[in-house]
Amino acid sequence: MLLIIFLYCSVGLISLIFFLIYWKLVRPQKYYYDTFRNQKIPCEPFVPLIGQIPEIRCASENDATMDYRLKLIEKHGNVFVTGFGPSIKLNVNEPDMLADIFGRSHAQDYGKPNLTEKFFQPLIGVHNLLISQGEEHERARKMLNPAFHFVKLQGMISIMIEQTRKAIDELLISKTNEKSIDLQVELNALTLNIITSSAFGQSFDSITDAKQNLCQTFIELSEAIIYRTLRGVNLIPIVSQLPFWYKNMVEKNSKKLANFVDQIISDRRSDRSKSLSSNEDILDLLLSAVDTQGKSFTNEEIKDQALTFVLAGHETTGNLMTWCMFILMTNENVFKACQNEIDRIFPNGIEPTYEHLNELVVCEAVLYETLRLYPPASFIARKCLREHYIGSENHRQIYIPKGAEILVNTYALHRRKEFWSNPDEFDYTRWIRDPLTGRKPKLTHPFCYLPFAAGPRNCIGQNFALLEAKVILAMFVQRCHFELEPGQKIVPDLRITIHAKYGLRAKVTKRL
Ligand code: HEM
């Protein structure tokens, strides 16, 4: 009798679990899929709970992550539907429609998808610019915008120069005997040093092994989170709580990161550390920022915001510089153009200054063109908060229901032949400013180039990043000679940002 009751209960429980999975995950997935398919939008096959994760993993294993996405566009056009785990994505690479999504008309109708929060929360918490929504985001953005004003950035140049100088010295002195180095590793370490020194000041140098620890913790956490995301673990709430798939490692490292930043904040509050820049650094600005009611950030907000700047501000710029170095080593004419300009503006090895960095017209164009062909944040995701239509009535309109998720592939958008002449060619001259007016050439469409996204949630750190990139480019080209190691595979791949999957090995020696 007991056995029969047990059997009935088990069958009942299993049926309930299946029903809940269907109701909570499959039914909404099917709703969004059908809503788009009924509007005659091309779709990849509907696969409940999994979507196209197996194809994405297979492409990644075959070094074809970005090619797989380009082929989907070849197959379906610039608007189509895919699935990632239980979430349906409307892929949009049509600038007119992107203007509706990111521009004034509907920007307020979009927030971040749930996956963004699940993905980043163990690394940076939830009270930060990248994840927060609505009023919390608006308040924080207003409080933090002044931190990236050009006057504040000028003060941070000394940190950028100092860290770049140290990195080059170390490369030239201690690593010249090695056959070659992985420039991607070195450049990511450099941008991590720059942003952490700008965000945390002296403490970062005084806490024993802080750099090594933070670097290692960030890397381990990112790897574990990517592993879990690619297997759909983060996408299903019950599954994500199970103690498997590096769950313990994620928890342990999140705690370590939080304790580390707590110590840095307490050091600064009690004057045991100060800014490394000639001005206030990011931590000073976080501590002193107040909203319109005169309220400051809480300790938790300061921690989450500071970690967000470290996360958002190092791999992006590190990978921009990696691709830029790849271009310089494979395009003699681009390298020479940069070198001539740098030698003219900073003769006899003098170090960059803010005013003179503005004169780097060719270097700036090279960076913009690198951001076009290798946009570090190649996928931008949004979630619709209020139903509406995108597109124009005369052409094509699409109904976007509340809760629908949009995915923009800037890697593909920046290569569309309708908006770029010779789209696959690296041509920095398309970005050269007018020598008389100093204005950049006009884009063929204001939403065909989105390396820093657009609208109220665009990149708050873009001026910081471009300044930093110019400092690194100028000082490396001024002092070093680079040689790409022959025979290596250079494959763009997606982790959090687009990186070189097998690194970028090169021999770096002192320039003669
Ligand atoms: C080449 C370097 C960089 C690129 C390509 C880049 C790109 C982007 C993109 C595309 C977004 C929008 C993401 C989204 O909406 O999902 C973004 C947001 C953000 N970025 Fe950057 N970024 C770079 C450097 C930086 C730096 C150096 C910092 C900090 C110092 C930074 C801080 C942020 C923050 C805090 C956000 C969230 C802004 C908000 O939602 O209000 N980024 N970035």
Side-chain angles (χ1 to χ4, degrees):
M1 183 64 181
L2 266 178
L3 186 68
I4 292 176
I5 294 174
F6 176 75
L7 274 177
Y8 273 118
C9 288
S10 306
V11 171
L13 190 68
I14 291 169
S15 314
L16 182 68
I17 291 174
F18 272 104
F19 174 76
L20 281 177
I21 290 177
Y22 168 77
W23 194 256
K24 287 284 215 189
L25 298 170
V26 181
R27 200 181 59 112
Q29 184 185 4
K30 189 82 176 88
Y31 164 73
Y32 291 116
Y33 188 85
D34 288 344
T35 304
F36 293 128
R37 199 180 48 174
N38 293 341
Q39 298 181 68
K40 309 233 172 333
I41 297 170
C43 300
E44 280 292 280
F46 180 79
V47 188
L49 298 178
I50 296 172
Q52 273 64 57
I53 285 185
E55 284 89 332
I56 293 170
R57 279 185 58 191
C58 175
S60 163
E61 279 155 21
N62 291 317
D63 294 347
T65 298
M66 303 319 278
D67 285 349
Y68 166 70
R69 306 285 181 156
L70 291 176
K71 283 198 179 117
L72 282 179
I73 293 173
E74 250 172 52
K75 179 173 163 193
H76 295 302
N78 286 298
V79 182
F80 60 95
V81 174
T82 52
F84 188 75
S87 83
I88 291 295
K89 310 276 183 202
L90 178 68
N91 294 256
V92 180
N93 296 308
E94 207 54 83
D96 275 343
M97 292 184 181
L98 295 177
D100 286 342
I101 294 167
F102 291 101
R104 272 193 210 133
S105 57
H106 291 294
Q108 72 287 354
D109 294 336
Y110 284 93
K112 296 288 172 87
N114 302 347
L115 181 60
T116 309
E117 178 174 333
K118 288 193 185 115
F119 190 89
F120 288 116
Q121 193 248 335
L123 275 163
I124 56 176
V126 289
H127 299 294
N128 57 62
L129 281 182
L130 208 59
I131 293 179
S132 63
Q133 314 261 23
E135 279 175 21
E136 183 183 352
H137 175 266
E138 220 173 287
R139 168 181 178 261
R141 182 87 193 208
K142 275 195 196 130
M143 289 165 77
L144 290 171
N145 272 335
F148 294 93
H149 190 269
F150 75 97
V151 179
K152 305 280 183 210
L153 293 184
Q154 277 184 42
M156 290 178 204
I157 274 208
S158 54
I159 299 178
M160 298 171 183
I161 292 177
E162 167 73 9
Q163 295 297 335
T164 309
R165 187 195 307 123
K166 271 194 205 160
I168 296 176
D169 286 347
E170 206 187 302
L171 267 184
L172 295 181
I173 295 164
S174 63
K175 301 198 176 163
T176 39
N177 293 334
E178 287 178 27
K179 239 183 138 212
S180 67
I181 49 141
D182 185 345
L183 265 177
Q184 181 165 255
V185 171
E186 304 296 333
L187 289 164
N188 272 294
L190 169 58
T191 51
L192 183 64
N193 278 343
I194 291 178
I195 188 68
T196 40
S197 302
S198 312
F200 300 139
Q202 265 180 349
S203 281
F204 202 59
D205 282 335
S206 59
I207 298 174
T208 326
D209 293 334
K211 275 180 197 161
Q212 220 114 352
N213 273 333
L214 185 77
C215 222
Q216 197 54 33
T217 312
F218 247 99
I219 291 168
E220 277 179 18
L221 248 181
S222 312
E223 295 294 346
I225 295 170
I226 289 163
Y227 178 92
R228 286 165 69 79
T229 306
L230 276 181
R231 280 151 191 84
V233 177
N234 283 336
L235 300 165
I236 303 172
I238 312 168
V239 178
S240 70
Q241 295 310 316
L242 298 174
F244 310 120
W245 306 291
Y246 298 116
K247 169 92 173 148
N248 288 346
M249 188 214 264
V250 170
E251 280 176 357
K252 190 186 87 196
N253 279 333
S254 307
K255 232 176 247 156
K256 210 162 127 189
L257 215 52
N259 292 341
F260 175 75
V261 182
D262 279 341
Q263 188 184 342
I264 285 175
I265 296 171
S266 111
D267 279 0
R268 182 67 62 92
R269 281 205 197 275
S270 58
D271 278 340
R272 282 198 301 271
S273 92
K274 58 176 196 285
S275 160
L276 286 170
S277 91
S278 51
N279 225 317
E280 291 169 305
D281 65 6
I282 295 178
L283 187 54
D284 287 324
L285 295 161
L286 281 168
L287 289 166
S288 61
V290 283
D291 62 15
T292 45
Q293 319 287 313
K295 262 182 80 185
S296 334
F297 284 125
T298 61
N299 258 5
E300 197 179 354
E301 284 171 323
I302 293 173
K303 182 185 74 199
D304 291 1
Q305 301 288 11
L307 276 171
T308 300
F309 289 129
V310 173
L311 173 85
H314 87 273
E315 206 181 284
T316 42
T317 324
N319 288 340
L320 162 63
M321 293 321 294
T322 303
W323 292 113
C324 182
M325 292 298 175
F326 170 62
I327 296 292
L328 295 186
M329 288 188 288
T330 48
N331 293 271
E332 177 78 19
N333 62 328
V334 182
F335 181 77
K336 279 276 160 241
C338 285
Q339 198 178 47
N340 290 342
E341 182 179 65
I342 291 163
D343 287 349
R344 181 170 51 81
I345 295 174
F346 305 114
N348 308 320
I350 59 165
E351 284 186 345
T353 58
Y354 185 74
E355 293 72 33
H356 288 121
L357 282 167
N358 276 334
E359 292 171 30
L360 292 175
V361 176
V362 172
C363 292
E364 178 187 85
V366 167
L367 291 168
Y368 280 129
E369 182 68 345
T370 310
L371 283 167
R372 182 181 74 82
L373 283 178
Y374 301 99
S378 294
F379 291 93
I380 305 174
R382 291 287 181 268
K383 181 176 177 176
C384 173
L385 305 174
R386 200 170 52 182
E387 62 170 6
H388 64 276
Y389 286 84
I390 57 170
S392 69
E393 278 175 36
N394 306 338
H395 289 95
R396 181 184 184 190
Q397 274 206 313
I398 296 178
Y399 166 66
I400 311 285
K402 183 179 170 186
E405 293 187 12
I406 309 279
L407 192 63
V408 185
N409 176 348
T410 52
Y411 183 86
L413 176 72
H414 293 177
R415 289 162 188 254
R416 281 195 61 180
K417 58 180 183 312
E418 297 86 340
F419 301 100
W420 307 95
S421 56
N422 303 321
D424 293 326
E425 198 177 292
F426 188 93
D427 176 9
Y428 69 88
T429 61
R430 62 177 110 225
W431 297 102
I432 294 285
R433 281 190 251 151
D434 184 312
L436 291 178
T437 62
R439 286 210 194 104
K440 266 189 273 152
K442 216 165 166 241
L443 293 168
T444 39
H445 191 295
F447 286 82
C448 71
Y449 182 67
L450 300 174
F452 296 107
R457 298 211 69 146
N458 70 350
C459 176
I460 196 173
Q462 57 185 290
N463 292 334
F464 183 104
L466 287 170
L467 198 61
E468 178 185 6
K470 277 191 204 168
V471 168
I472 299 176
L473 178 57
M475 292 180 74
F476 266 79
V477 170
Q478 199 178 34
R479 295 186 53 192
C480 305
H481 173 77
F482 313 92
E483 236 179 280
L484 190 67
E485 185 176 280
Q488 62 183 313
K489 269 207 270 187
I490 310 286
V491 180
D493 192 40
L494 192 71
R495 266 165 42 128
I496 296 178
T497 56
I498 175 177
H499 71 142
K501 186 172 180 181
Y502 302 106
L504 179 69
R505 297 207 68 82
K507 195 155 188 219
V508 181
T509 47
K510 191 165 183 281
R511 184 177 163 199
L512 298 173

